[in-house]
């Protein structure tokens, strides 16, 4: 079976990657401290800790980050136990240096082989190729969710519609009508897919799905069932057997104050550190803005924060004086077609310095002061003005339950080039699916998006 063969063949690759990560970490610790005991046992200890957390199982992809962190905690506990019986401070010291380094290298190195194995470099024969089965509109939503995922995902090679075709022909995929199991198997053979993702719909009854599972099993194809909500992270879903029936539990968003205390402390500490490190750069930018055009170095605007509280947002000024008075005459050039988001290409109101600062998001550095003051977070929804808040839908107002952020999902997913509704959806999705791992993922992706000027349009 192609799928099973790929899963089994991926284990040696991942073992090699994890061994390399632990070896590099061990070598680094030895070079730093010239002590051999922790480097000597680190590689087998790390591989055993990873194996105990099932990071080599077929379902490890979605939970990789969490399982690697659990493995690091387990290995640290083992080091603490060893220190208890043989109290040598250097042992615990070296272990607490080596384990975070091994975890970071493991996560970093795993990204490349996983991407190659899951997508086959985009078109290879080992690609994770999936066929979507279900109503055309739901299929289009699922395909869009897979494309904007935060980790390498499968390659969608076709759509089998169980109802009327979508206006765009199945989101640009090789669309086809689904009539019976024979028709589906023809589509499977034509596309060469490895799995079929079935979406809920009136045409797919329980008996029909059971029949399809047997037909696909005979062909060596996996059958996966997509949840009704495509914008929910795996961490919020759990299978709960009730009276012998497996039900999918959707956990509530994490909005209570207690889990967010570490986030609050981390935000302020990192923002303070950023201010100290970037102070010379910010002073230079402020001087450049003042010299480039008449006016203050900073732009201040009232924005709405958590629970509807107002605060003054700080940015470096990027426009000439009186820019707001020219908004009406330039309204016809607004690419969003509404007053809620106003952005035009080659905006004549933007200064020479402002154009550069906007391209690399340097104009937003003063918001570090807002983070230290507790008005904002490093990661969160985009801060809104009062008029934008008044226009929010009921779902959209959920974004006010958390602090706005300097960076967020839409900033690392396309920035200003995203449609308005997509930006709103990503902000609400962040609130609903928040976790420390999501924050870390966004923070790690932010520098790359800024340097590559992704969506800086």
């Amino acid at each position: 079976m192609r799928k099973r063969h790929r899963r089994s063949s991926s284990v040696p690759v991942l073992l090699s990657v994890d061994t390399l990560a632990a070896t590099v970490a061990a070598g680094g610790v030895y070079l730093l401290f010239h002590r051999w005991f922790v480097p000597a046992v680190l590689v087998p200890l790390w591989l055993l800790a990873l194996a105990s957390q099932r990071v080599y199982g077929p379902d490890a992809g979605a939970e990789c980050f969490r399982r690697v962190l659990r493995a690091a905690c387990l290995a640290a506990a083992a080091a603490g136990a060893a220190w208890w019986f043989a109290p040598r401070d250097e042992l615990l010291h070296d272990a607490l240096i080596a384990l975070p380094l091994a975890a970071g290298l493991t996560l970093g190195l795993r990204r490349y082989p996983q991407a190659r194995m899951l997508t086959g470099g985009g078109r290879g024969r080992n690609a994770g190729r999936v066929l979507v089965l279900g109503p055309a509109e739901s299929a289009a939503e699922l395909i869009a969710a897979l494309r904007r995922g935060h980790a390498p995902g499968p390659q969608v090679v076709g759509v089998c519609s169980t109802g009327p075709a979508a206006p765009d022909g199945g989101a640009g995929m090789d669309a086809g009508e689904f009539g019976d199991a024979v028709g589906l198997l023809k589509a499977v053979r034509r596309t060469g897919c490895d799995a079929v993702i079935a979406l809920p719909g009136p045409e797919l009854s329980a008996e029909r799905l059971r029949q399809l599972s047997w037909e696909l099993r005979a062909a060596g194809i996996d059958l996966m069932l997509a949840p009704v909500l495509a914008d929910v992270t795996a961490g919020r879903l759990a299978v709960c057997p009730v009276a012998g029936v497996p039900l999918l539990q959707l956990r509530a968003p994490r909005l209570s104050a207690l889990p967010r205390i570490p986030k609050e402390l981390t935000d302020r500490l990192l923002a303070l550190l950023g201010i100290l490190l970037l102070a010379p750069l910010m002073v230079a930018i402020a001087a450049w803005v003042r010299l480039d055009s008449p006016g203050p170095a900073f732009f201040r605007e009232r924005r709405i924060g958590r629970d509807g509280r107002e605060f003054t947002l700080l940015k470096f000024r990027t426009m000439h004086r009186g820019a707001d008075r020219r908004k009406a005459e330039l309204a016809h050039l607004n690419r969003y077609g509404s007053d809620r988001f106003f952005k035009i290409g080659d905006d004549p109101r933007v200064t020479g310095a402002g154009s550069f600062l906007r391209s690399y998001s340097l104009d937003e550095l003063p918001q570090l002061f807002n983070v230290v003051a507790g008005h904002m977070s490093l990661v969160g929804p985009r801060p809104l003005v009062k008029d934008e808040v008044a226009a929010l839908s009921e779902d959209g107002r959920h974004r006010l339950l958390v602090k706005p952020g300097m960076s967020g999902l839409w900033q690392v997913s396309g920035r200003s080039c995203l449609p308005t509704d997509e930006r709103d959806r990503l902000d609400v999705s962040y609130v609903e699916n928040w976790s420390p791992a999501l924050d870390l993922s966004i923070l790690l992706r932010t520098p790359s998006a800024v340097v590559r000027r992704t969506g800086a349009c």
Side-chain angles (χ1 to χ4, degrees), residues 335-336 343 410 413-420 423 454-457:
R335 66 179 57 180
Y336 292 109
K343 194 173 187 68
W410 71 263
S413 302
R415 293 167 71 181
S416 297
C417 285
L418 292 176
T420 301
R423 295 163 72 175
T454 304
C457 56

Side-chain angles (χ1 to χ4, degrees), residues 92 127-128 133 156 165 192 195 227 235 301 361 388 436:
L92 188 61
L133 170 66
V156 180
E301 186 175 39
S361 299
E388 291 177 317

Side-chain angles (χ1 to χ4, degrees), residues 48 288 299 403 416 418 424:
L48 284 173
W288 184 23
F299 170 76
K403 291 181 181 180
S416 297
L418 292 176
D424 289 342

